[in-house]
């Protein structure tokens, strides 16, 4: 008996009934399994109940907005890819979305075919990241021990678990230790494209990594203006 291949499962949180059903039907026609929820509380309950591969979240929803829903989802599973689908196009809203760890922020109205391509790309990227079993995953960074497989940064017995993007970014910095990590390379590998807003998102993650490494004065993440970053470790 041939086992049927599991379809990627999408959580779609959208309170617009027409748009929600059109998008659900379109994605299902393209071999995705879609759970449509019409408010944030129902979407969070569904996320806690089932295993999803990606979340598509409207922002302006009743009971719980998309930003709050994203925070709750990240608390449950920091690895899950997350897209915001929103009519809110103010720069501040877009920046907030990326600060919450969004993989993409797609403004309404949007092209469904383009959304489909972005979903395929992010799921393929995640699959490739998870399949990298042979790459180096343990690094010595000054007085810190970094394990990219476990996503842990440890110093003097104290261990901190990194988020997926923090982990990927620090891993790339370690691979380029004391050398230049090109900004464009990191953005395309981790965020999927080198747009302005993805660049702002990466700057936020660089600031977080600096904070995590601040207790060792021999470590510095240097911004090479317009080019990228250097993880400088004085031996």
């Amino acid at each position: 008996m041939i086992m049927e291949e599991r379809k990627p499962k999408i959580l779609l949180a959208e309170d617009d009934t027409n748009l929600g059903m059109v998008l659900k039907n379109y994605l299902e026609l393209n071999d995705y399994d879609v759970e449509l929820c019409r408010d944030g509380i129902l979407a969070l309950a569904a996320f806690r109940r089932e295993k999803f591969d990606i979340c598509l979240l409207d922002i302006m929803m009743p009971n719980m907005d998309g930003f709050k829903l994203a925070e709750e989802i990240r608390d449950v599973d920091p690895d899950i890819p997350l897209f915001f689908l929103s009519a809110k196009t103010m720069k501040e809203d877009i920046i907030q979305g990326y600060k919450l760890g969004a993989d993409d922020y797609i403004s309404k109205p949007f092209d469904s075919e383009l959304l489909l391509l972005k979903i395929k790309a992010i799921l393929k990227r995640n699959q490739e990241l998870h399949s990298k079993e042979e790459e180096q995953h343990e690094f010595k960074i000054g007085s810190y021990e970094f394990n990219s497989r476990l996503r842990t940064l440890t110093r003097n017995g104290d261990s901190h678990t990194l988020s997926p993007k923090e982990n990927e970014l620090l891993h790339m910095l370690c691979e380029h230790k004391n050398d230049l990590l090109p900004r464009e390379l990191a953005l395309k590998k981790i965020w999927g494209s080198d747009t302005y807003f993805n660049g702002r998102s990466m700057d936020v993650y660089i600031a977080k990594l600096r904070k995590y490494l601040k207790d060792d004065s021999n470590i510095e993440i240097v911004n090479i203006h317009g080019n990228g970053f250097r993880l400088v470790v004085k031996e």
Side-chain angles (χ1 to χ4, degrees):
M1 181 179 178
I2 299 175
M3 295 292 291
E4 185 176 347
E5 185 177 351
R6 173 184 172 274
K7 295 180 180 179
K9 191 169 180 66
I10 297 174
L11 174 62
L12 173 59
E14 172 59 67
D15 70 328
D16 183 318
T17 303
N18 291 333
L19 175 60
M21 285 307 302
V22 168
L23 192 52
K24 173 180 166 68
N25 291 338
Y26 176 75
L27 292 170
E28 288 178 341
L29 284 171
N30 285 277
D31 291 326
Y32 291 94
D33 185 4
V34 181
E35 171 121 3
L36 173 61
C37 299
R38 293 191 171 87
D39 71 51
I41 289 179
L42 292 175
L44 181 59
F47 187 80
R48 287 173 170 164
R49 184 176 63 244
E50 300 180 51
K51 174 69 175 176
F52 292 92
D53 296 289
I54 188 170
C55 299
L56 310 180
L57 311 181
D58 183 25
I59 293 176
M60 296 181 288
M61 293 187 294
N63 300 322
M64 179 187 293
D65 68 33
F67 288 147
K68 178 61 177 176
L69 175 58
E71 290 179 359
E72 297 288 342
I73 284 174
R74 283 282 183 245
D75 285 343
V76 176
D77 183 355
D79 291 336
I80 189 79
L82 189 156
F83 287 3
F84 283 115
L85 310 177
S86 180
K88 300 184 76 173
T89 57
M90 294 289 290
K91 180 178 176 180
E92 293 77 11
D93 294 315
I94 298 172
I95 290 173
Q96 183 179 355
Y98 281 114
K99 283 184 175 180
L100 289 171
D103 292 274
D104 209 334
Y105 190 109
I106 300 173
S107 299
K108 297 178 181 176
F110 53 83
D111 185 305
S112 297
E113 186 176 357
L114 180 59
L115 173 63
L116 183 65
L117 291 172
K118 290 189 172 190
I119 291 171
K120 288 180 177 179
I122 200 76
L123 292 179
K124 180 181 179 183
R125 185 204 73 183
N126 272 25
Q127 185 179 24
E128 289 173 349
L129 287 172
H130 293 153
S131 67
K132 289 183 178 178
E133 296 295 334
E134 301 305 318
E135 68 181 2
Q136 182 182 356
H137 62 275
E138 293 183 351
F139 299 89
K140 177 76 173 171
I141 313 172
S143 57
Y144 292 85
E145 302 285 344
F146 171 47
N147 188 314
S148 64
R149 184 171 292 167
L150 300 178
R151 300 208 322 266
T152 55
L153 186 63
T154 305
R155 182 175 186 266
N156 296 334
D158 293 327
S159 185
H160 174 77
T161 301
L162 302 175
S163 73
K165 277 195 173 67
E166 291 168 353
N167 186 68
E168 290 178 54
L169 187 53
L170 184 55
H171 189 276
M172 290 192 74
L173 285 166
C174 287
E175 289 180 327
H176 294 76
K177 188 172 77 170
N178 294 321
D179 199 355
L180 175 70
L181 170 60
R183 188 178 184 87
E184 182 180 1
L185 176 64
L187 283 170
K188 287 186 175 180
K189 184 173 181 182
I190 300 173
W191 277 265
S193 65
D194 59 344
T195 64
Y196 168 79
F197 291 109
N198 284 348
R200 289 295 301 270
S201 177
M202 184 167 73
D203 291 339
V204 170
Y205 281 89
I206 287 288
K208 290 180 178 180
L209 293 179
R210 286 185 176 127
K211 181 179 178 181
Y212 300 150
L213 298 167
K214 65 181 176 59
D215 291 328
D216 188 335
S217 60
N218 291 316
I219 302 171
E220 186 179 7
I221 300 177
V222 180
N223 181 16
I224 309 300
H225 184 68
N227 291 296
F229 300 94
R230 288 181 67 214
L231 174 62
V232 178
V233 182
K234 298 174 185 176
E235 301 297 342

